[in-house]
Amino acid sequence: MRYFKVAVDGLSGSGKTTMAKSAARRLNWFYLETGSFYRAFTLAVLREKIDYQNFNNLNNLLARTVIDFHWDGREAKVYLNGAEVTGDLRRPEVDRIVSYLSEIKAVRERMVRWQRKIAEGKNVIGEGRDIGSVLFPDADLKVFVFCDLRERAKRRRKELAKKGILLPLEEIMENLQERDRIDSWREASPLVRLPSAIYIDTTHLTIAEEVEIFIDLIKTL
């Protein structure tokens, strides 16, 4: 049986998670959010107060860390060493350093191995920042999602507010801008818009509109 792979890359807060997750629900495909792996590992670093610039300590933590990603067809759950941590992954302290950890080659290599193993034998929609270039270079469909910085910040502020986390819009914009810079210029697996990727600007689209555009593209496979 042939399985399809769809790669969704894009800026943080651009709507790619909502788009990918909604399409996976509608089509009954497996949804894989690669960013949650890096966030879970960042959480491990914070909890153990590891100096992530000390590569010996970092590699030791990598060796004894287990991250699991479960998709039940509706929602994703992430487990760190057997304990669910889904609700803690988007806390501001994780936001502040996740991009720095994500640019470390050893971290990315370990996460990619886990992600490929989880995706085996499934119709899968993977979303993140290096899906089409690194994780699924052979993807049947590649999409790059863009959105205006201020609009992304507004969406992130609303998302955080629902969790009781209140931050000024300017602070969120600065964080997103810094993450964009790190993700785009890091040496290991930078965020790139591949020439083969279809560009979707969600700035002025409703969630329903962007999901329909995406599903229509998948249906052409």
Side-chain angles (χ1 to χ4, degrees):
M1 181 177 178
R2 188 181 188 293
Y3 294 100
F4 292 96
K5 296 175 185 173
V6 172
V8 182
D9 291 302
L11 302 171
S12 178
S14 60
K16 64 184 184 298
T17 298
T18 301
M19 178 188 293
K21 190 182 289 186
S22 298
R25 288 174 182 147
R26 292 258 301 271
L27 299 171
N28 197 28
W29 281 32
F30 188 82
Y31 163 74
L32 179 64
E33 182 196 7
T34 60
S36 61
F37 288 78
Y38 299 98
R39 288 178 173 276
F41 185 66
T42 300
L43 196 60
V45 168
L46 290 169
R47 287 179 173 179
E48 298 207 20
K49 297 181 173 59
I50 296 291
D51 176 5
Y52 60 85
Q53 294 181 319
N54 183 315
F55 290 122
N56 287 332
N57 289 346
L58 194 68
N59 283 328
N60 180 272
L61 181 61
L62 265 176
R64 53 191 172 84
T65 297
V66 177
I67 299 170
D68 290 319
F69 184 95
H70 294 183
W71 172 252
D72 64 6
R74 297 296 304 169
E75 297 296 336
K77 290 185 178 181
V78 182
Y79 295 82
L80 175 61
N81 297 324
E84 189 187 348
V85 294
T86 314
D88 295 324
L89 298 184
R90 295 193 176 274
R91 298 193 64 81
E93 57 268 32
V94 174
D95 277 346
R96 277 191 282 271
I97 67 169
V98 63
S99 286
Y100 295 99
L101 283 163
S102 298
E103 67 178 335
I104 297 171
K105 186 177 179 180
V107 174
R108 298 203 72 84
E109 289 177 346
R110 174 63 62 88
M111 301 302 150
V112 167
R113 286 201 298 272
W114 273 332
Q115 291 156 9
R116 284 181 177 159
K117 185 172 180 59
I118 289 171
E120 285 177 0
K122 301 177 179 74
N123 288 318
V124 59
I125 299 173
E127 64 100 346
R129 288 167 179 76
D130 64 350
I131 312 299
S133 57
V134 176
L135 184 62
F136 299 148
D138 58 343
D140 300 279
L141 171 66
K142 298 179 182 181
V143 169
F144 187 92
V145 186
F146 173 84
C147 184
D148 173 76
L149 176 62
R150 180 168 290 274
E151 179 62 26
R152 286 190 285 144
K154 288 178 181 177
R155 294 175 184 179
R156 182 56 55 84
R157 183 173 62 174
K158 185 182 294 185
E159 179 184 325
L160 291 171
K162 288 179 181 178
K163 299 177 181 179
I165 302 170
L166 304 177
L167 293 177
L169 185 65
E170 295 303 320
E171 181 178 335
I172 297 173
M173 288 179 66
E174 288 175 9
N175 176 262
L176 289 172
Q177 232 173 358
E178 177 65 5
R179 290 183 62 191
D180 290 346
R181 184 191 67 78
I182 293 170
D183 290 341
S184 299
W185 292 98
R186 67 185 176 220
E187 184 176 345
S189 307
L191 168 66
V192 293
R193 180 191 170 190
L194 299 171
S196 57
I198 296 172
Y199 184 81
I200 300 177
D201 185 344
T202 67
T203 306
H204 303 294
L205 294 177
T206 65
I207 291 174
E209 287 171 337
E210 64 186 66
V211 172
E212 286 304 322
I213 290 170
F214 183 46
I215 288 178
D216 284 345
L217 289 171
I218 295 174
K219 286 181 177 178
T220 64
L221 297 178

